[in-house]
Amino acid sequence: MAEPTMDATPTSETAMIDLDQLPQRAEKNISVRVKRAAERALRQGHPWVFEDSIVKQSHLGNGGDLAVIYDRADNNFLAVGLYDPLSPIRIKVLQTLQPMRVNQGFFADKLRVAQAKRQPLISAETTGFRLVYGESDGFPALIIDRYGNTLVLKLYTTAWIPHLRALILALQETVIFDNLVLRLSRALQSDRLNVAKLFGLRDGQLLVGDDPSGQVEFVENGLLFQADVIKGHKTGFFFDQRDNRSKTRDLAKGRRVLDVFSYTGGFSVYALAGGARSVTALDSSEPALETLKRNVETNGFDMDQVDVIAADAFEGLRGLIAAKRKFNLVIVDPPAFANSRASMRNAVLAYRRLVEMALRLLAKDGILVMASCSSRIKADMFYQLVTRSAAVAGFELETLERSSHALDHPIAFAEAEYLKAIFAKVSS
Ligand code: SAH
């Protein structure tokens, strides 16, 4: 499953926080020595040092202190990162080989680079995108998404907290925005985490600005979308599928489209824009489907063309099969089924069932768009899984295209790659 939910509970508190109240990192850095293999990985640019790779450290330190790793052979600087005693990824690397001071200026430089990388996609036609994608942009375990004038900063570790003030100042120095909303990963919201470790930070809190509503509007490839950046999944929208939505628009003309795991209608709206004859959107989240309706209407399309089914996807699909419904384009974009090694088997079974059911709903010459965002299921394995599941169910697929991340989700190391999608035509 992806992130917590768009549920109907009252909005989280959005009172601003006094950033000066947040803890500072210790003046004294932690000096660390790591195993040879870990040194090699660091030299090759890998941004994680696992707990069991550490052979020696000067003192215990606190979360967010800077850990400086020295080469065991010559004592030269190897890397500096955030010390994270709560995570097996004990050091999250910020900088390798060239020593640098980690401060506002350091973050500002990285933000400028990140912003420049996104330049090709920023325009009046696209005002929503991922500005910072974690490690791949030099900000481990942290994401910043832009929705028009609102930025959403999502933390996956408390180790950023002592650096938050410097990071926000760096954002104000380099990026134009009105509001900054904080989101916390599921782990940071878990009861297992001592809330004292959050120093008063809360999921959905407004860190900068004066719009506490969480409702934002943005444009993607000329289409208008609304998102709820406080209660929505992840940060409110799935920018990673932008290119796949675009391809879907190109394929949609005259087709009856089924959008499974539709969320707020990213694919549905693109399909309508591409001239789909009708769209059926299926998702278990009622608030997401409410936003889908608004997204359909604000783009000038008629809800008469759209059927909305609020149900578990597997049950919804079974119902459509029983009703002998047929579609010419079926999109299946499920949440990450394989979040742990143990859930891999169930994930494979779930993908198999989804492929089989989607194919049973496709008319002759229909197109299947199937995506996976489980990073544990590698691209090749996924493509094989889809083709084999189709074959077992008696269908032959002709692959039209395979695709990966959009430009604003750069892949700087293997673990950063998670999204893959296949576009395929059913040939028999
Ligand atoms: N395609 C969407 C993103 C999908 S995110 C887009 O382009 O924006 C995954 C969606 O799956 C979420 O909306 C979540 O509510 C939904 N979901 C998760 N488990 C589900 C289930 N068992 N049945 C139906 N929907 C489910």
Side-chain angles (χ1 to χ4, degrees):
M1 255 304 294
E3 288 298 311
T5 46
M6 298 187 62
D7 52 29
T9 47
T11 37
S12 43
E13 276 211 49
T14 51
M16 273 199 255
I17 188 161
D18 178 2
L19 294 173
D20 294 327
Q21 297 292 304
L22 294 178
Q24 301 292 308
R25 69 172 157 94
E27 289 289 320
K28 193 164 174 279
N29 294 340
I30 308 171
S31 339
V32 178
R33 305 287 187 285
V34 298
K35 290 181 181 163
R36 294 267 177 266
E39 289 187 344
R40 255 196 317 275
L42 283 169
R43 266 195 214 91
Q44 286 163 3
H46 199 278
W48 295 342
V49 174
F50 286 92
E51 157 186 28
D52 56 9
S53 298
I54 296 180
V55 288
K56 211 166 129 196
Q57 75 183 66
S58 58
H59 57 284
L60 280 179
N62 292 310
D65 285 354
L66 292 179
V68 186
I69 305 158
Y70 294 96
D71 191 311
R72 281 160 75 198
D74 57 17
N75 241 0
N76 279 337
F77 172 91
L78 240 182
V80 59
L82 299 176
Y83 183 66
D84 193 353
L86 302 178
S87 162
I89 304 175
R90 190 54 48 90
I91 302 172
K92 298 179 160 70
V93 174
L94 294 164
Q95 171 69 23
T96 315
L97 301 175
Q98 188 73 37
M100 289 272 236
R101 269 183 202 290
V102 175
N103 53 21
Q104 180 184 336
F106 173 84
F107 295 137
D109 284 344
K110 291 212 188 284
L111 288 171
R112 281 191 196 94
V113 174
Q115 196 155 233
K117 253 189 227 170
R118 275 79 184 167
Q119 217 52 50
L121 68 84
I122 307 173
S123 70
E125 296 280 279
T126 297
T127 61
F129 56 89
R130 178 148 293 179
L131 176 63
V132 168
Y133 174 41
E135 284 79 351
S136 296
D137 285 303
F139 292 92
L142 181 155
I143 271 167
I144 303 175
D145 282 346
R146 180 190 264 290
Y147 293 83
N149 292 329
T150 295
L151 297 182
V152 184
L153 167 72
K154 182 148 184 177
L155 294 186
Y156 292 82
T157 169
T158 53
W160 271 105
I161 295 176
H163 304 270
L164 210 49
R165 192 168 175 279
L167 175 62
I168 293 172
L169 291 172
L171 274 168
Q172 287 173 323
E173 183 188 329
T174 53
V175 182
I176 299 166
F177 65 95
D178 293 334
N179 302 296
L180 175 65
V181 173
L182 177 72
R183 297 294 306 264
L184 301 176
S185 70
R186 191 193 290 197
L188 296 197
Q189 295 182 63
S190 142
D191 292 342
R192 276 184 295 172
L193 184 91
N194 178 352
V195 285
K197 297 217 181 298
L198 293 173
F199 300 94
L201 295 173
R202 286 182 302 271
D203 185 51
Q205 195 166 29
L206 190 65
L207 295 178
V208 176
D210 54 16
D211 179 6
S213 74
Q215 296 297 329
V216 297
E217 282 190 356
F218 62 98
V219 203
E220 191 183 85
N221 289 318
L223 298 168
L224 190 63
F225 288 98
Q226 291 184 13
D228 183 337
V229 295
I230 292 179
K231 287 185 285 171
H233 287 305
K234 300 282 177 186
T235 67
F237 197 68
F238 293 85
F239 294 126
D240 53 359
Q241 291 282 26
R242 182 186 314 102
D243 294 352
N244 292 330
R245 286 194 280 263
S246 239
K247 285 178 196 137
T248 304
R249 169 165 61 184
D250 297 342
L251 293 167
K253 198 167 178 55
R255 292 185 187 262
R256 289 197 176 87
V257 177
L258 172 63
D259 182 4
V260 189
F261 303 100
S262 66
Y263 189 49
T264 53
F267 281 97
S268 296
V269 170
Y270 273 71
L272 290 168
R277 193 191 310 179
S278 67
V279 169
T280 302
L282 169 57
D283 200 284
S284 57
S285 163
E286 305 233 8
L289 292 171
E290 283 306 311
T291 308
L292 178 143
K293 289 180 194 160
R294 282 199 295 277
N295 285 334
V296 166
E297 280 166 353
T298 42
N299 285 286
F301 303 113
D302 202 330
M303 271 307 291
D304 286 354
Q305 266 179 288
V306 181
D307 235 354
V308 166
I309 307 174
D312 170 75
F314 295 89
E315 280 171 25
L317 288 169
R318 262 198 297 277
L320 290 168
I321 292 170
K324 298 200 171 13
R325 293 283 302 272
K326 288 286 175 193
F327 301 89
N328 316 99
L329 174 61
V330 177
I331 304 141
V332 188
D333 180 24
F337 288 132
N339 276 331
S340 65
R341 207 169 299 173
S343 60
M344 273 286 272
R345 211 185 115 73
N346 284 341
V348 168
L349 291 175
Y351 284 121
R352 229 180 250 164
R353 279 173 58 208
L354 286 172
V355 170
E356 191 184 322
M357 290 199 278
L359 291 174
R360 289 179 63 187
L361 286 164
L362 270 176
K364 196 170 173 322
D365 291 330
I367 294 175
L368 172 70
V369 181
M370 175 95 199
S372 161
C373 59
S374 309
S375 57
R376 282 170 196 276
I377 303 217
K378 301 290 167 211
D380 282 344
M381 179 183 172
F382 176 67
Y383 297 135
Q384 255 186 36
L385 178 63
V386 173
T387 357
R388 283 214 192 123
S389 310
V392 169
F395 297 90
E396 202 174 308
L397 290 184
E398 176 199 337
T399 302
L400 301 174
E401 192 157 348
R402 292 170 175 184
S403 76
S404 174
H405 293 220
L407 175 149
D408 50 343
H409 294 65
I411 303 165
F413 69 119
E415 291 85 341
E417 184 168 9
Y418 66 95
L419 185 69
K420 50 264 162 204
I422 180 167
F423 290 70
K425 195 171 203 166
V426 185
S427 52
S428 59

